[in-house]
């Protein structure tokens, strides 16, 4: 797949007759998942890799859509000769349920009311996202994935997969992620959610076809962006540089470049993402706790996959110690695990930026897994 | 590059198909050899980021971490062998690390630099300075070594801690030393087990 070969999103719909029961007990159906595939599934169907996206990502992980301005969110990692080498592997990436990038979510039409779900959309958990993607992988005829992989929220899904479906995956790559959301992570999300929910245009989630809660969503994205960067990367990128000014204005207009950057990234996000999806997905992350009162070492007992876990030194949103706890739990359970904290200034964003170092690790890890599978 | 004699001796000590943990595994060269020649299942612990890339390149499972704090996570007798080659003198708590190695491993292989071989002794005696040799080239202010011991010191440690020495080998860079090891050998390699 080169950039000349445009990629296209496909759709898989299930739970049409019998609705799917979610973790909360709520039911939903039908469910559509948007997904893309890259590379070719081999005859023994043993080269499948499932990639999970982060909070605001989508199925377009690699290649470019016709007419799109930019390639998929992990295009520098997925493709021929890249970390996830599509000459060797069959890579699948699906948009999670609850999102707004083609899969069933709060902006989708509720079959009962023929109107957008809005807040009638059931609460979704990381487990639900994982289970729905298992339907897709079954549909594609893959009994056992060679690997499931993801960064940030995608990492939670990948980890969840190894526990829910231990016999359906050989290996797992977790990047800049955690095994439970901590108080700080929940707190940051709650501020983002409040930004949306206090926007009068949010209107209890009923804004489709009306004026969007743009101010709230912009603000929530601005907060998000701060958490994705490190102090050092911000200082390097912006410092105290002024935006189109020689000196500060002594007023409340935009003075600094960093202000302008956040406002820009926030406002463009309004065209790209649905505010309700942001609420549902961030809530799913906050509900995520692999342990749920149990000991981590006990929860990890049934895992059969081997692991590669990567963190970044300046990531304060998903700090390394959280992954190190997980490494300890896996070691205790005799799980084959490799771990590295990559020295990087890019904060949480590093998993999208530190391509070379991650590629080195992932490429060799996948080769090892392929060889040991024989 | 000629094969490292210490690797050869360590590989000789390990039975085929064993599960091996190497503490301070560096670029994973020893583990990768063990996997190839003895079909061992291998894991390394290493602090350096660069070394972890080298391990992964060789297909060696590697966990970044420091030796002192990495061992408590493993259950008892998890490994057939735990290797501490040229790393025990650099850890903060060597006693704890060796005892932990013998808890998580059925056997431990410890390779130490012998700080009391002949040329060191001559330098100390005649120059009145801390010895600097081709094999221990550091000065007091830049050495990574925290502990200075001899083969004899290590034997004594094992005796005091009730650790069985199943095998003791002494070596100079290109050949083995079979007698007067504490005087002639630059390094000692011990195969240990719990008594």
């Amino acid at each position: 797949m080169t950039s000349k070969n445009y990629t296209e999103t496909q759709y898989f719909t299930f739970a049409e007759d019998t609705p799917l029961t979610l973790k909360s007990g709520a039911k939903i159906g039908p469910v559509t998942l948007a997904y893309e595939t890259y590379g070719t599934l081999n005859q023994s169907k043993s080269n499948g890799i499932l990639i999970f996206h982060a909070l605001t990502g989508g199925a377009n992980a690699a290649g470019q859509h016709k007419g799109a301005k930019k390639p998929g969110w992990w295009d520098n990692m997925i493709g021929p000769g890249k970390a996830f080498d599509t000459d060797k592997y069959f890579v699948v990436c699906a948009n999670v349920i609850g999102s707004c990038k083609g899969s069933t979510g709060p902006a989708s039409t509720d079959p009962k009311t023929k109107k957008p779900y809005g807040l009638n959309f059931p609460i979704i958990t990381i487990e639900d996202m994982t289970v729905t993607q298992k339907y897709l992988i079954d549909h594609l005829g893959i009994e056992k994935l060679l690997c499931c992989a993801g960064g940030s929220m995608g990492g939670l899904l990948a980890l969840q997969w190894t526990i829910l479906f231990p016999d359906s995956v050989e290996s797992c790559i977790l990047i800049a992620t955690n095994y439970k959301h901590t108080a700080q992570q929940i707190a940051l999300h709650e501020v983002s959610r409040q930004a949306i929910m206090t926007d009068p245009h949010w209107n209890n989630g009923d804004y489709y076809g009306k004026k969007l809660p743009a101010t709230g969503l912009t603000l929530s994205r601005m907060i998000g962006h701060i958490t994705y960067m490190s102090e050092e990367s911000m200082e390097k990128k912006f410092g105290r540089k002024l935006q189109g000014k020689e000196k500060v204005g002594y007023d409340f207009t935009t003075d600094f470049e960093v202000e302008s950057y956040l406002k820009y990234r926030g406002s463009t996000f309004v065209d790209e993402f649905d505010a309700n999806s942001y609420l549902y997905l961030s809530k799913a992350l906050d509900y995520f706790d692999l342990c749920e009162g149990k000991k981590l070492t006990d929860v990890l007992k049934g895992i059969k996959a081997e692991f590669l876990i990567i963190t970044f030194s300046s990531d304060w949103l998903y700090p390394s110690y959280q992954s190190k706890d997980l490494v300890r739990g896996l070691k205790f359970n005799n799980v084959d695990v490799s771990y590295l904290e990559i020295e990087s200034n890019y904060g949480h964003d590093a998993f999208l930026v530190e391509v070379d170092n991650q590629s080195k690790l992932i490429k060799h890890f996948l080769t090892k897994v392929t060889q040991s599978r024989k | 590059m000629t094969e490292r004699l210490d690797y050869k001796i360590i590989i000789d000590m390990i039975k085929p198909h064993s599960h091996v943990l190497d503490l301070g595994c560096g670029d994973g060269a020893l583990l990768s050899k063990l996997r190839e020649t003895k079909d061992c299942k291998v894991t390394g612990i290493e602090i350096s980021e660069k070394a972890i890339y080298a391990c992964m390149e060789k297909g060696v499972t590697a966990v970044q971490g420091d030796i002192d704090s990495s061992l408590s996570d493993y259950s008892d007798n998890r490994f057939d062998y735990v290797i501490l080659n040229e790393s025990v003198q650099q850890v903060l708590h060597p006693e704890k690390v060796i005892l932990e190695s013998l808890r998580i491993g059925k056997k431990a292989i410890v390779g130490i630099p012998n700080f009391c071989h002949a040329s060191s002794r001559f330098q100390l005696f005649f120059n009145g300075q801390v010895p600097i040799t081709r094999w221990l080239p550091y000065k007091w202010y830049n050495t990574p070594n925290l502990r200075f011991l001899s083969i004899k010191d290590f034997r004594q440690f094992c005796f005091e801690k009730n650790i069985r020495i199943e095998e003791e080998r002494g070596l100079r860079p290109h050949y083995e030393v079979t007698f007067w090891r504490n005087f002639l050998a630059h390094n000692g390699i011990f195969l240990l087990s719990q008594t």
Side-chain angles (χ1 to χ4, degrees), chain A residues 306-308 324 327-343 357-358 360-362 364-365 368, chain B residues 35 41-43 45 47-50 52-53 56-65 69-75 78:
Chain A
E306 52 183 293
F307 278 72
L308 168 63
K324 278 187 192 163
V327 170
R328 259 179 232 120
L330 291 168
K331 274 161 79 180
F332 184 82
N333 278 293
N334 298 350
V335 174
D336 193 293
V337 53
S338 288
Y339 166 76
L340 178 62
E341 176 189 88
I342 295 177
E343 189 68 34
N357 287 340
Q358 288 187 93
K360 268 190 265 177
L361 297 171
I362 291 170
H364 297 301
F365 177 72
K368 184 181 84 154
Chain B
R35 209 188 37 193
K41 189 166 164 21
V42 298
T43 304
I45 289 180
I47 193 83
S48 143
E49 178 178 339
K50 223 175 131 190
I52 299 278
Y53 294 118
M56 294 297 288
E57 201 178 324
K58 295 183 183 74
V60 167
T61 298
V63 184
Q64 189 186 34
S69 64
S70 291
L71 305 186
S72 55
D73 313 327
Y74 292 113
S75 49
R78 156 78 189 277

Side-chain angles (χ1 to χ4, degrees), chain A residues 92-318:
Chain A
V92 183
C93 180
N95 184 218
V96 297
I97 182 172
S99 181
C100 55
K101 306 248 173 185
S103 294
T104 306
S108 309
T109 305
D110 182 348
K112 279 184 210 141
T113 61
K114 311 285 178 229
K115 282 195 273 186
Y117 277 105
L119 287 204
N120 290 325
F121 195 75
I123 286 286
I124 297 292
T125 62
I126 296 294
E127 207 176 302
D128 297 325
M129 296 178 192
T130 312
V131 168
T132 47
Q133 299 211 18
K134 180 71 165 62
Y135 281 85
L136 171 66
I137 293 304
D138 290 345
H139 164 74
L140 294 173
I142 302 169
E143 261 175 51
K144 193 170 195 179
L145 292 165
L146 181 70
C147 181
C148 60
S152 197
M153 181 184 92
L156 306 184
L157 275 96
L159 175 60
Q160 183 74 78
W161 184 288
T162 65
I163 287 174
L164 287 179
F165 313 114
D167 295 313
S168 300
V169 65
E170 297 275 354
S171 69
C172 176
I173 301 173
L174 305 178
I175 306 170
T177 193
N178 195 358
Y179 62 94
K180 64 174 178 197
H181 245 216
T182 59
Q184 191 190 48
Q185 287 157 348
I186 296 169
L188 288 162
H189 271 166
E190 178 57 11
V191 179
S192 293
R193 280 191 294 268
Q194 285 302 323
I196 292 169
M197 292 163 75
T198 51
D199 183 330
H201 294 299
W202 178 63
N203 192 29
N204 276 316
D206 180 15
Y207 53 79
Y208 299 106
K210 302 172 199 160
K211 203 165 171 3
L212 299 174
T215 314
L217 189 56
T218 300
L219 186 50
S220 125
R221 189 57 171 171
M222 287 168 75
I223 297 160
H225 266 291
I226 299 169
T227 67
Y228 305 150
M229 297 176 83
S230 71
E231 196 212 356
E232 200 180 341
S233 66
M234 269 198 174
E235 197 55 32
K236 238 181 178 165
K237 192 165 180 172
F238 309 109
R240 294 186 54 82
K241 275 183 276 181
L242 299 177
Q243 180 66 31
K245 288 183 179 177
E246 293 291 307
K247 48 189 176 184
V248 295
Y250 295 109
D251 56 21
F252 293 104
T253 59
T254 303
D255 281 317
F256 298 100
E257 252 188 29
V258 65
E259 298 172 323
S260 157
Y261 170 83
L262 288 176
K263 282 177 193 161
Y264 172 74
R265 293 303 290 259
S267 63
T268 53
F269 189 60
V270 176
D271 305 322
E272 293 165 12
F273 214 77
D274 176 42
N276 281 337
S277 277
Y278 201 90
L279 298 180
Y280 276 88
L281 297 189
S282 70
K283 201 73 192 173
L285 281 159
D286 293 348
Y287 280 134
F288 185 70
D289 174 7
L290 205 60
C291 299
E292 291 183 340
K294 284 177 255 166
K295 267 174 72 184
L296 179 64
T297 45
D298 291 337
V299 178
L300 301 174
K301 240 170 211 157
I303 286 180
K304 292 179 181 165
E306 52 183 293
F307 278 72
L308 168 63
I309 300 182
I310 301 170
T311 60
F312 301 96
S313 56
S314 59
D315 182 356
W316 59 275
L317 186 58
Y318 288 85

